[in-house]
Each structure stands twice: as structure tokens, then as C-alpha cells.
Amino acid sequence: MKISQIYQYPIKALRPTSNSTATITAQGFKYDRRYMLLHVQPDGSFKNVHVANYPEATLFTTSMTEPAGEDDRGTITVTYNPPKGEELKGKPDAPATLTIPLVPDMTGLKQLEVIMHQSPTRAYEMGSEYSAWFSKHFGFEVILAYLGPHGREVLMSRPERPRREKGQGSNATTASSSTQHADVPDPELTFADCAAYLVVSATSLDELSSRIPGDYNVDVTKFRPNLIVEGCALPWDEDFWGEMTIATDSSPVTMSLEQNCARCPSINIDYSTGAPGKGLDGQVLKSMQRDRRVDRGAKWNPVFGRYGFTTKSDIGKMVKIGDEVQVTRRIEERTRFGECCSLVTNPTQLTTTMIADWPGIYGN
């Protein structure tokens, strides 16, 4: 097997950037989900822009140029693509593209608190130059926030490192932590929902596409993956991958695959309209309901993909398209999705507050 595609999401909820290489950090790929958009509410509070709640976010595509030297900050180019068949209504003077520094100068920027799934962090407000552009295209006030050096606690349970108690620092250990996992960091996340990485199998994607009538091919980016692995003999075999090793040009990268990724209606969005799909695009989730609700911890939602983490010794290594992948540990039974974002197994138990942030749990 080998890596066939690599994706990074420089701004959460917007369309990804396809790369041939990516660098490992303790928080995921180097530039992944370090920006996020916040919808300003009437009372001045913020609502996180997740794909499922804000499908129009998929109308924005991104490209990324990494820094070329010490004094170069790199760029993110965001392009707004009007909904299919519509003009820029009321926005004729709005440019189609916006350039944002990939690594901004945070000097003098206002700090604010961002809370994702009960995992708070600090971030920097990028200012009106950027927020006004996004606000014009969304049609309501949004703020562009940059994570900077901060991070969020991983809330979901992990087999090798239990979730730390409230009040414990990111370097805290628990009595039940095992020394055999000393190389596994107690990571903090960027604006990714649950884990540093999301891995999917191209074989499973092909099988899923075959369930949709006609020649419809499911767009893999609807699942928000970081790595697509091709060459697996059987669809859905990744459900039983506990660890995979990537043979990079330097030394192998070990990725522990620890939880399933349960799915929500965000995979039914029609990217050409920025709205829930009315045709074949709207059938993707339904096509998985019959036999892919295989996680007892999220029994109402079908599963596609595995959440993963790398090790401390992998930081700084580069993976690329074509790198060979080997499953180095298999599990006998599918994992059960643990504590993440106050996860409940019965939708009737959801409170209004939880529903507001619920969809972003699925799809990273």
C-alpha cells in the first residue's frame, strides 16, 4: 500500500489544499487547521464555523505556498466560488480571492478565547482586512482567528494514554499511563475536531462510490482526510488497523490509529452550491447507513476513516505521495468511540448547546 493523496486544511471548514508532501508536528501536519472562522452572534459571542452548520464554507477553496526562507511567511490564497448558477448578489465589488499569511506576525493582534467541543484555547483575531472579506461573502459578520502557539486538549479517550483530569497540565501523567508509550506525546490539537490526523482508504472510497447510481464518484475531500492510502485488498479493512508505518525518505513514521470517525450529513453537501445535495450528492450518508454503523460508541452514525496520532520521534519528518504504508498492528475488534465532546449515543439526549456544536465532531 502507499499514500496516494495528502490534504491540509489551512483554514478549518474551507476546502483543502492538496500537497505532494507534508511535515509532521505534534499537532498534525505543519499548517493544518491553524486558522478558523467564527460567526459573531448578536450578543457578541462566537459560533464556530463547522461545515455541517455552515455548508456555504465549501464554496471557498484554498491553495498554500510554504515559506521559502527565514523572512518569508508563506501565503494562503482563498478563492470564493459563487454557487452554481448564481452571480455575486450584492457583492460586485468584492474580489474573488484573498491572500493571507500562512505564518502571520502576531504582534499587536487581539487575543480571544475559542471553545471547540468543551476544549478551549486562545487565538488571535486577524483583523478587519481579512474578516471583512469573509463577512461580505458569507453575508454575516465573521472573524478570522489564528491559533498561534496555542493548542487544545484531546478530549476523546485514547488506548495508550487516558484523558487527563481537569486542572492537569499538558505534560501531566496519570498513574495508569504506561511507560511503553513514552514516545507517544500527550498532544494538543489545532482546530481539528478530535485528532491530529484522519486516514481513509481509497479502496473503501471506491466501494462507497459503487453504491451510488450511475457514474457518480464520491469526492474524498467531503470526509476531510489528511491521508488517503491506496492498495488495500479489501474495503473497510482499515476498521481493524491499530497502527501503520509510513516509509519516508528519512526514517519510518509510526501512526497509531485509535478511534473511528463517525459521519454526519456534512458528507451530503453539494460543493457546487454550498448547500445540502438534492441529487446524488445527497445520497452519500444514506448509502452507508445499512452496514457501516459499526461503532457501538456512535451507533447512530456510519463510520469511514480512522483518527491517528504520531510519536515524538516523528516530529519534523516529511511524508510524501508514493510513500509505502504497512499496517504494523491490527486489532481484533473494532474500537468503540470514547469520550469526545460530551458524546452521547442517543440523539434525544442532546441539549440545545450541544446541538449547536455537534456536527463538527464528525469529519475533523
Side-chain angles (χ1 to χ4, degrees):
M1 299 189 297
K2 65 180 181 180
I3 295 174
S4 61
Q5 296 175 73
I6 298 173
Y7 289 105
Q8 290 173 275
Y9 304 78
I11 304 176
K12 182 179 176 65
L14 305 192
R15 301 274 291 279
T17 294
S18 177
N19 302 104
S20 59
T21 63
T23 302
I24 300 287
T25 77
Q27 295 178 316
F29 285 142
K30 191 171 184 178
Y31 303 108
D32 192 59
R33 297 173 173 95
R34 303 201 65 85
Y35 280 98
M36 183 175 180
L37 291 164
L38 308 172
H39 181 189
V40 181
Q41 302 297 292
D43 63 359
S45 63
F46 304 125
K47 185 176 180 181
N48 303 332
V49 174
H50 292 301
V51 172
N53 285 334
Y54 297 88
E56 61 267 49
T58 62
L59 296 173
F60 296 84
T61 54
T62 62
S63 61
M64 192 173 73
T65 302
E66 296 190 23
E70 196 170 307
D71 298 327
D72 187 358
R73 296 190 174 276
T75 60
I76 304 168
T77 300
V78 183
T79 301
Y80 174 69
N81 305 279
K84 183 179 179 180
E86 295 187 18
E87 300 294 333
L88 288 172
K89 297 178 180 179
K91 313 166 191 175
D93 58 336
T97 61
L98 175 70
T99 300
I100 302 168
L102 185 60
V103 185
D105 181 358
M106 295 168 286
T107 305
L109 294 182
K110 176 184 175 182
Q111 287 198 45
L112 45 79
E113 184 179 49
V114 177
I115 302 176
M116 281 183 60
H117 317 312
Q118 302 179 17
S119 177
T121 188
R122 304 295 295 176
Y124 296 87
E125 183 177 340
M126 284 297 292
S128 59
E129 174 186 356
Y130 305 106
S131 297
W133 187 88
F134 281 108
S135 297
K136 182 170 287 189
H137 288 297
F138 273 100
F140 48 78
E141 185 179 2
V142 297
I143 286 175
L144 179 64
Y146 179 68
L147 186 63
H150 307 115
R152 297 171 42 249
E153 180 187 352
V154 178
L155 292 179
M156 75 179 188
S157 60
R158 303 181 59 202
E160 72 287 315
R161 190 179 298 275
R163 180 185 170 188
R164 60 181 180 266
E165 296 298 321
K166 289 184 178 180
Q168 290 182 307
S170 61
N171 295 319
T173 59
T174 65
S176 57
S177 293
S178 171
T179 55
Q180 68 176 321
H181 298 290
D183 191 38
V184 179
D186 190 4
E188 290 183 322
L189 299 177
T190 59
F191 291 132
D193 287 324
C194 288
Y197 300 94
L198 181 60
V199 178
V200 303
S201 163
T203 303
S204 299
L205 182 73
D206 291 342
E207 201 280 334
L208 178 60
S209 293
S210 72
R211 302 181 179 193
I212 311 296
D215 297 326
Y216 184 86
N217 291 312
V218 178
D219 183 346
V220 71
T221 66
K222 293 186 177 184
F223 296 95
R224 318 296 286 179
N226 295 111
L227 291 172
I228 291 84
V229 176
E230 71 174 15
C232 183
L234 298 173
W236 317 118
D237 185 64
E238 67 274 19
D239 290 1
F240 301 96
W241 296 356
E243 178 186 273
M244 72 181 199
T245 299
I246 304 170
T248 71
D249 289 339
S250 54
S251 58
V253 167
T254 301
M255 185 172 292
S256 179
L257 301 174
E258 300 178 4
Q259 295 280 7
N260 303 310
C261 184
R263 296 299 176 169
C264 75
S266 65
I267 62 175
N268 284 346
I269 294 171
D270 182 346
Y271 280 5
S272 70
T273 63
K278 296 181 180 180
L280 297 180
D281 283 294
Q283 298 184 27
V284 180
L285 185 66
K286 181 179 179 181
S287 71
M288 301 173 69
Q289 292 287 4
R290 183 185 74 255
D291 61 347
R292 291 303 299 158
R293 292 189 292 176
V294 294
D295 189 322
R296 292 175 297 163
K299 63 181 180 180
W300 303 99
N301 301 83
V303 163
F304 188 18
R306 296 280 283 165
Y307 284 127
F309 297 88
T310 51
T311 64
K312 291 178 182 178
S313 59
D314 292 323
I315 294 174
K317 295 179 183 178
M318 182 178 290
V319 300
K320 69 179 188 307
I321 291 176
D323 281 348
E324 292 188 3
V325 174
Q326 181 179 1
V327 177
T328 44
R329 179 169 58 86
R330 294 182 65 89
I331 55 178
E332 294 183 2
E333 297 182 358
R334 291 183 175 94
T335 51
R336 178 171 180 164
F337 197 72
E339 185 176 14
C340 177
C341 324
S342 296
L343 183 71
V344 296
T345 57
N346 187 339
T348 62
Q349 298 174 5
L350 292 173
T351 66
T352 302
T353 301
M354 292 167 68
I355 289 173
D357 210 25
W358 176 257
I361 296 173
Y362 304 120
N364 217 38

